[in-house]
Structure formats: structure tokens, C-alpha cells
Amino acid sequence: LGYLSPIKTLMAWFKGKEGWVLGIAMAAFAGSKMIFSPIIEELLHTHGIMTVMGILSAIGICCMCVATVLLKAPYDIIHRNVSWKVIKNSIFNTQFMSIWGMMFLVVASAVAMISYEKSMMLHIDFVNVTTAVMLIAGFNVAGRLLIPAFTQHFNNKASSYVYMLFVCVASVVVALIDLTPFTLMAMLCICNLCYGGVFASAPILLQDRFGSRNLALLHGLLLTAWAAGGFFGDMLANFLFELLGSGGHVELIRKFFIFYMGALAITFYGLFNKNNERISD
């Protein structure tokens, strides 16, 4: 609800400026890590985990109550019921399956990366890890804020994804060739920048391919890739570290290369196929 409701509403209010408003909204989602990471660290030094969770929950409740009052759709918006036929056509649509697969691989890489970024930094004796994590989160926010605005101006919105995925592949290759604190930090920042951009630009890509009529439904279905990718990426990272110990760091980066290459291949062969069918009801 927190992701879907504001996105469709913002795109309905600000037609023609979807890139910027999506960027602002998605940056707010990611910005909480930047803001709350040092706050949580400080609170945990003086309070128990239950107290800290209670404080964060209270803040969340206040924010959600304010948002509930402020969030409303344009008065001229037409509400339509969604048919099972649309859902079936969405799931078995070639372009949508391509977008889903690409998103799954990117999110699996990003979640594994985020889950073990501190561990990777400590493994190569990185100094001031907390500041580094905030900086990486800042790149995630920047990607969500800026990249949708650029994606909006591409005739083929998939072009933006090709550039982002290519940069991710290149940064992972550099880190594999020479894993130093600098190259690791660069890889984490670049991949988080592109992860934020891939995720935030998804509604624009869906609207470009399928129109705005079923956008909320398609975005909701696409977020299942986020859930599945997050689960798979975290489980894979846990498995590698249990199996390989300290060697799991390098093996995890190798998996990033495979995943990003897979996502890039899907983008080329799926999203650039002009003969794919459109979803209709």
C-alpha cells in the first residue's frame, strides 16, 4: 500500500511530469535509510531493541496518518474494476515477463549487496563504515530522484535500463579485477545508484509499454519481483557465506556479474522486441 497508492496518484496528478514526481516519491522511500541509520545506531547505544522499535513505529504511525489525510486522487479520475482476464494477460505477456525477470535479477543483486555491504567493507579493512553506508544510501536516493527524470525523455524507455545495467556490469568487473576499498566503494555506490533508478523508473517503463489504464495493477504485479528477488538475493548471500566463509565476499560479487549480465540480456532481447503483444481487457 505504501508503494502503490502514492505512485499511481502522483502520476494521475502530474501528467507529463511523471519522471520528476516519481523521483521525489521514490527518493523519499530510500531516504529514510540515510536519515534513520545514524539515529537507530545512536538509540541502540542507550535503549533496548524493543524500545527502539517502539519509537520507530510511533514515528511511522504519525507519518502514515498525515499521509492518509493528504493523499487523494484527482476528482476527474475514472475508477475501473480490474478483470481476471487483465491479470491473466499481464502474467503471460512477453514484455511484462521480460520486465519482471529483469527486475528480479537486479533486486536480487541489490538486496544481497545491501545486506552484506558492511561485512564486505570490514572484510577489506574499510574505515568509518557507518559514514560509507550513509554515502551508499545517498547514491540510492540520487538514483531514485534523478534517473526517472532522464528516463522520461527517452523515446524507448528501455534504453535507460541498458545504460544503467551496462554501468553496473562494468563496476562489478573492475571490483573483481582489483578488490580494494576504493573499487568496492565505487561498485557499491554505482550499483545502488542504478538500483534506485531501475526501481523508480519502472512505472514509466510500464506506462510506456502498456499505457496508464492498468498501471496500478501492473506495478503491483511487478512488485512481486521485488519481493521474490529480495528473498532470493538474501538467501543466496547467506548460503554463500555459510558455505565459503570469508571467500563468500568475492563469490557474491561474481554472482552480481552474472545477475546483471542476465538482466542486460533480458532487456535487449525482451524489451527491444517491437512485436511483443500489448495488454488489453
Side-chain angles (χ1 to χ4, degrees), residues 150-221:
F150 288 104
T151 301
Q152 186 72 39
H153 296 290
F154 284 102
N155 290 328
N156 187 343
K157 309 305 186 221
S159 301
S160 174
Y161 283 78
V162 170
Y163 297 137
M164 286 187 283
L165 293 170
F166 177 79
V167 169
C168 287
V169 170
S171 68
V172 172
V173 169
V174 171
L176 282 172
I177 293 172
D178 185 24
L179 187 59
T180 65
F182 176 78
T183 57
L184 175 64
M185 188 67 183
M187 182 196 74
L188 291 172
C189 288
I190 290 171
C191 288
N192 269 274
L193 176 81
C194 294
Y195 165 56
V198 165
F199 193 78
S201 301
I204 297 174
L205 180 61
L206 291 172
Q207 187 180 52
D208 177 63
R209 288 298 188 270
F210 309 113
S212 58
R213 180 169 183 176
N214 298 308
L215 181 61
L217 166 68
L218 295 173
H219 194 204
L221 290 173

